[in-house]
Amino acid sequence: MSANSGVDRYVAAARETMARRQADWKQMKRARFDTCAVHGLYTMGEALNSNQGSIIEPIYMSTSQAYRDSDEMEAALSYQIPTWCYSRIANPSMYYFENTLALLETYGAEIEASCVATSSGMSAILAATDSFLAVDPGDPAAPRNFVSTCQVYGGTFQQFSARRAQEQGIDCRWVIDSNNMDEWESKIDRNTRFVYGELPSNPGQAFFDLKKVIDIAHSHGVPVIIDNTVGTPALMRPLTLGADVVIQSVTKTLTSSGMGIAGAVIARKNLVSNFASDEMKADYAMYLKALPNRDFGQNLSPMNAILSLSEMRTLRSKVDLFSRNTQQVAEFLQGNAMVSEVGYLGLESHPLHELASRYLYLVDSEHDAQYGQKVNRYGHLLSFNVSGGVDNARRAFDALQRIWRATDLGRIKSVATIPAISTHSQQGEEGRQMAAIPGNMIRLCVGGEHVDDVIADLEQALDAVHGKVSVPVPSEFSYGGASGSTLAQPGE
Ligand SMILES: *Cc1c(COP(=O)(O)O)cnc(C)c1O
């Protein structure tokens, strides 16, 4: 504490603010998921005291906050009082977004967690893992390793294998069969900094017994980091099951409109780690915000924070709708002769269906008049393999007319990609084989269209593989204006 009594005055006043926010958090912890998603920590008090009564959270594009005097500046910049000092570190718009997400990821459990927003999902993974991988000052030459499922998003695969392993010499130990607990156990040792998993995985729908993996990791004093992008907190909340850190590509289902790139790290307070300092363990997300992220600068823009926040308000209903649509699409694909395999955890025939059903529930379905009981939902990502190999898969893919061809997922609009030539191209044939991503696999993320129209598009596209219907030639589409032939619009 400062010897300057002027600074102390501000610190004392800030205690009141912090107590009020703590009380707001406690109160929201008693509210249902949808209420947390709609309001977060933006209370009437916050609105009336500091935002002109606006019912919607403010978008403060300002880079920095002004201080009343040097004492307040000193208190703020030494982090003794809550502050928006500089938007690379903190900002009111980011604050409301971060706390809403922390509420959603901890929903249903009496755990304390906090959240730091980042510029993208990849920067969230970088931030979440980097501090755990720091060189041990007491033993700088000690080997460092981490253990991860090999079925991860392509960008994650590259970050771990190319950047961490090849460039930085940190041992990345892939778990090939994530349901083999002996494999996890055998890869963890005293130099393991963290265990990383993604479930359900993108695109392969891998899934593992998360609670068992957490128990194994914790028995070695190793923290567990989970990418919860595909499930979202509407279906699964790993922190409430004992995981230490969750990362989100907020870009995806959380911001289904596709209006921006964003990410977040949500971490439980007092997490497990043999290597982390006490300060890191106490409140990891706030540690990242105040120190490493301040210094590395992977902050989220306030505009994107509020766009994402706005989308998250309806998360539960959207994930329910998307999941129901996807279930029907998966069942359709399973019955189609042109499809050799469908990867969707919601299908009873999927080998991991039973395991996934123990984890993936629509949050609050038991409190919903429509359901009145816990119902399983499996999200809106699926994959399917087209019979006859790569060429057939490309033909079907090229014939899609309603479903967009794009490397994206989580959208309100249905989107498909061929992972081997896009999201997972960089990891090479060997990496794809390890992660079970064949060249004839199409990844499909089903959106909010009427499901009959999505199925009709898939049906005609799969028929087109054998030329049952004519594939539209590009001249039928306009690339410049309203619908019509490009030939009729020279120069566009
Ligand atoms: C897209 C994605 C990421 C990376 O997120 P960006 O926001 O694109 O940086 C990480 N994990 C999963 C599962 C993803 O789908």
Side-chain angles (χ1 to χ4, degrees), residues 240-311:
T240 70
L241 304 172
D244 300 275
V245 180
V246 158
I247 79 101
Q248 277 288 348
S249 168
V250 177
T251 316
K252 305 293 170 49
T253 309
L254 293 180
T255 307
S256 53
S257 68
M259 300 280 248
I261 302 288
V265 179
I266 309 98
R268 67 160 59 238
K269 297 190 182 168
N270 303 312
L271 53 73
V272 171
S273 169
N274 289 331
F275 290 92
S277 64
D278 290 345
E279 187 189 12
M280 272 172 72
K281 285 194 278 198
D283 191 345
Y284 187 52
M286 286 307 106
Y287 165 82
L288 293 178
K289 178 184 257 312
L291 300 168
N293 286 20
R294 176 196 67 185
D295 301 337
F296 292 130
Q298 64 273 58
N299 59 291
L300 181 62
S301 112
M303 185 74 200
N304 282 16
I306 298 298
L307 280 176
S308 302
L309 177 62
S310 191
E311 302 263 339

Side-chain angles (χ1 to χ4, degrees), residues 476-489:
E476 282 185 51
F477 296 104
S478 160
Y479 290 100
S483 63
S485 167
T486 47
L487 298 176
Q489 299 166 7

Side-chain angles (χ1 to χ4, degrees), residues 120-122 125 153 156 198 202 227 229 249 251-252 261-262 409:
S120 68
M122 291 321 299
I125 298 169
Y153 171 66
T156 311
E198 183 182 316
N202 166 12
D227 183 336
T229 299
S249 168
T251 316
K252 305 293 170 49
I261 302 288
L409 67 91

Side-chain angles (χ1 to χ4, degrees), residues 6 14 26 33 50-51 63 80 121 131 142 189 257 327 370 407 430-431 472:
K26 286 220 170 88
F33 188 89
S50 57
N51 194 29
T63 45
Q80 294 186 69
S131 294
D189 63 24
S257 68
Q327 183 74 33
Q370 192 183 350
T407 56
E430 199 187 328

Side-chain angles (χ1 to χ4, degrees), residues 132-147 164-165 168-173 187-194 222 274-275:
F132 288 122
L133 293 172
V135 168
D136 180 355
D139 188 4
R144 292 169 282 162
N145 73 66
F146 60 96
V147 176
R164 292 303 188 193
Q168 298 176 356
I170 300 169
D171 187 8
C172 165
R173 300 180 173 175
K187 289 192 167 147
I188 299 172
D189 63 24
R190 46 189 281 276
N191 297 313
T192 301
R193 300 304 186 86
F194 61 84
V222 174
N274 289 331
F275 290 92

